Amino acid sequence: MTTAILGTMIVLLLLGFPMMVPLIVASVVGFVAIFGGIGHLETLVQQVIAGIQPASLIAVPMFIFAAEIMTRGQSAGRLIDVVMAFLGHVKGGLAISTAGACTMFGAVSGSTQATVVAVGGPMRPRLLKAGYSDRFTLALIINASDIAFLIPPSIGMIIYGVVSGTSIAELFLAGIGPGLLILVMFSIYSYVYAVRHNVPTEPRMPWPDRLRAVRRAIWPMGFPVLIIGGIYGGVFSPTEAAAACVLYALVLEMLVFRQVSPRQLFATAKSTGLITAVVFILVGAGAAFSYVISFAQIPQEILAGIGIDGMGPYGVLFTISIAFFIGCMFVDPIVVILVLVPIFAPVVQATGLDPVLVGTIITLQVAIGSATPPFGCDIFTAIAVFRRPYWEVIRGTPPFVIMLLTVSILLIFFPQIALFLRDLSIDG
């Protein structure tokens, strides 16, 4: 049965079908093999529907909608300007500003691909003009966008929280530490790169201009305050924070900045609907697939084959990290979370690992895989946005991947990097 289910998925993937098709067809094949026919196939349909019923999933389209509105308006540009005002003049400052802008935009979007578009679009020409190679520039943009998957609100953490039953609010807090650590490492590398290649610096911006940039960015900087402050101040749940984020984006871009017209808002809503439909179909199909493989006890077979049952906490965390990293090099991150989290859930629970730590490590691995060859989704987003060939986009990625994997290892051995803020909020 295991061979039939996994074989069906692999064959359909090799034939080029969208990921939702292998998930659904493999689920049907497994269901028929278990029950000997299609007489009770409505049970599988119920699992699909149940997969998209959790109220927490409402936050996903709302955060996507808010990010789309901000990308069409002025918020993204103003966030970039304020980072540039303070860092543009230091050695490697333009590259550091790009990483910082990815972090700030990640704090209002939660999407790596939205960050590639919103930050990479305006920053790539400036980096090239300043003397950075396109190889470095493209790699910096697609890998710095990984920070958006960790800094709340993270769509990946929302999906993981729904699948695993882990607190999304605690996951959001746990992503801040690793996200900032990645920003520091990328900034150091950018400085070293600029020194080695003698990249000229930007002129130092006068303090009046810096203050002007801060004033212009005050309203967009309200997004992370609204999300984090609202959730941990007890004002909002994560889902309610997403709704407040959309309202804030609408008021900001339509009434304050007046950059998004009703016509553009309709196009934005349509785009959000299309993205959400794809995400929810994947979530529903993943729920059905998880039901079938759990019923067939495939996770137990796979874990027994790996020998993970005899491993300690470190061995389990390393195995999980490797599995998610490799999976996201080939498959959509959401699908990897939906498929692999139920497989590893029993051993995580048996080992007594903190599910928030596991979720943070998984989210980081998913983010790394999203920007790693051969099929990381951020790579193809960059190809489409910047119209550069595949090999040119991926040539500069190895140093960044090494830094990201280093953070992964540090998280395993020093979990307080992720759990410090979570524990502080609980103690408080």
Side-chain angles (χ1 to χ4, degrees):
M1 186 187 305
T2 303
T3 304
I5 293 174
L6 298 181
T8 299
M9 284 192 69
I10 292 170
V11 169
L12 292 175
L13 281 172
L14 292 175
L15 290 174
F17 284 93
M19 190 63 213
M20 63 188 72
V21 176
L23 275 176
I24 293 171
V25 175
S27 300
V28 172
V29 169
F31 191 88
V32 171
I34 292 169
F35 296 101
I38 59 173
H40 300 283
L41 202 60
E42 66 273 8
T43 304
L44 201 62
V45 176
Q46 291 170 358
Q47 293 301 317
V48 173
I49 296 172
I52 59 174
Q53 280 184 333
S56 301
L57 284 175
I58 298 174
V60 173
M62 289 186 180
F63 281 129
I64 294 173
F65 191 30
E68 290 273 327
I69 294 170
M70 288 181 286
T71 304
R72 290 176 182 266
Q74 289 190 2
S75 295
R78 293 189 180 207
L79 289 173
I80 293 172
D81 289 342
V82 75
V83 178
M84 279 294 301
F86 287 91
L87 296 175
H89 66 280
V90 302
K91 201 67 174 176
L94 195 59
I96 296 171
S97 298
T98 301
C102 287
T103 303
M104 293 188 70
F105 191 76
V108 297
S109 72
S111 167
T112 59
Q113 290 164 291
T115 304
V116 169
V117 175
V119 178
M123 291 304 290
R124 179 170 171 263
R126 296 173 74 168
L127 286 162
L128 295 178
K129 185 178 180 181
Y132 293 90
S133 70
D134 207 16
R135 173 179 175 174
F136 171 85
T137 298
L138 291 169
L140 173 67
I141 290 169
I142 64 173
N143 285 279
S145 69
D146 291 346
I147 303 173
F149 227 59
L150 288 165
I151 297 289
S154 163
I155 292 173
M157 284 184 168
I158 294 172
I159 300 296
Y160 171 83
V162 170
V163 174
S164 66
T166 306
S167 166
I168 295 173
E170 291 186 16
L171 286 167
F172 278 1
L173 266 186
I176 295 174
L180 295 178
L181 179 58
I182 293 169
L183 172 61
V184 170
M185 295 181 74
F186 282 8
S187 298
I188 294 171
Y189 178 69
S190 298
Y191 174 82
V192 173
Y193 178 93
V195 171
R196 287 184 59 190
H197 294 83
N198 198 28
V199 178
T201 59
E202 296 276 309
R204 182 186 293 269
M205 188 173 288
W207 273 103
D209 292 340
R210 290 181 181 181
L211 294 176
R212 190 177 301 112
V214 171
R215 285 197 299 269
R216 283 172 47 82
I218 283 177
W219 287 108
M221 285 191 291
F223 282 101
V225 175
L226 179 70
I227 296 166
I228 303 300
I231 292 174
Y232 298 103
V235 180
F236 305 129
S237 69
T239 304
E240 292 166 344
C245 195
V246 171
L247 178 61
Y248 190 72
L250 287 171
V251 171
L252 208 58
E253 299 294 354
M254 296 188 73
L255 300 180
V256 179
F257 298 154
R258 298 185 180 181
Q259 290 296 304
V260 176
S261 66
R263 183 186 295 273
Q264 289 174 314
L265 184 64
F266 177 79
T268 303
K270 181 179 178 181
S271 173
T272 301
L274 292 172
I275 297 171
T276 302
V278 173
V279 171
F280 274 44
I281 290 172
L282 287 174
V283 171
F289 184 77
S290 298
Y291 170 80
V292 170
I293 65 172
S294 298
F295 199 93
Q297 294 192 324
I298 292 176
Q300 289 82 348
E301 293 181 26
I302 294 174
L303 295 177
I306 298 173
I308 197 171
D309 288 335
M311 296 180 183
Y314 291 130
V316 171
L317 289 175
F318 271 109
T319 303
I320 289 173
S321 297
I322 293 168
F324 277 86
F325 173 67
I326 294 175
C328 287
M329 289 168 61
F330 298 94
V331 183
D332 184 274
I334 292 175
V335 176
V336 175
I337 293 173
L338 293 170
V339 172
L340 293 187
V341 167
I343 289 177
F344 285 104
V347 72
V348 168
Q349 187 173 9
T351 312
L353 290 166
D354 190 323
V356 174
L357 173 63
V358 174
T360 307
I361 291 173
I362 285 175
T363 304
L364 176 55
Q365 294 302 327
V366 165
I368 299 170
S370 301
T372 304
F375 301 122
C377 61
D378 289 342
I379 294 172
F380 293 98
T381 302
I383 290 171
V385 172
F386 305 127
R387 299 182 181 179
R388 306 307 303 164
Y390 176 85
W391 290 109
E392 187 173 324
V393 171
I394 68 170
R395 277 191 311 164
T397 56
F400 292 96
V401 173
I402 291 171
M403 285 184 280
L404 290 166
L405 292 176
T406 301
V407 174
S408 301
I409 295 170
L410 289 173
L411 269 181
I412 292 173
F413 289 105
F414 304 99
Q416 285 305 309
I417 294 172
L419 301 180
F420 171 75
L421 287 175
R422 190 281 307 265
D423 294 345
L424 194 64
S425 69
I426 293 174
D427 293 340

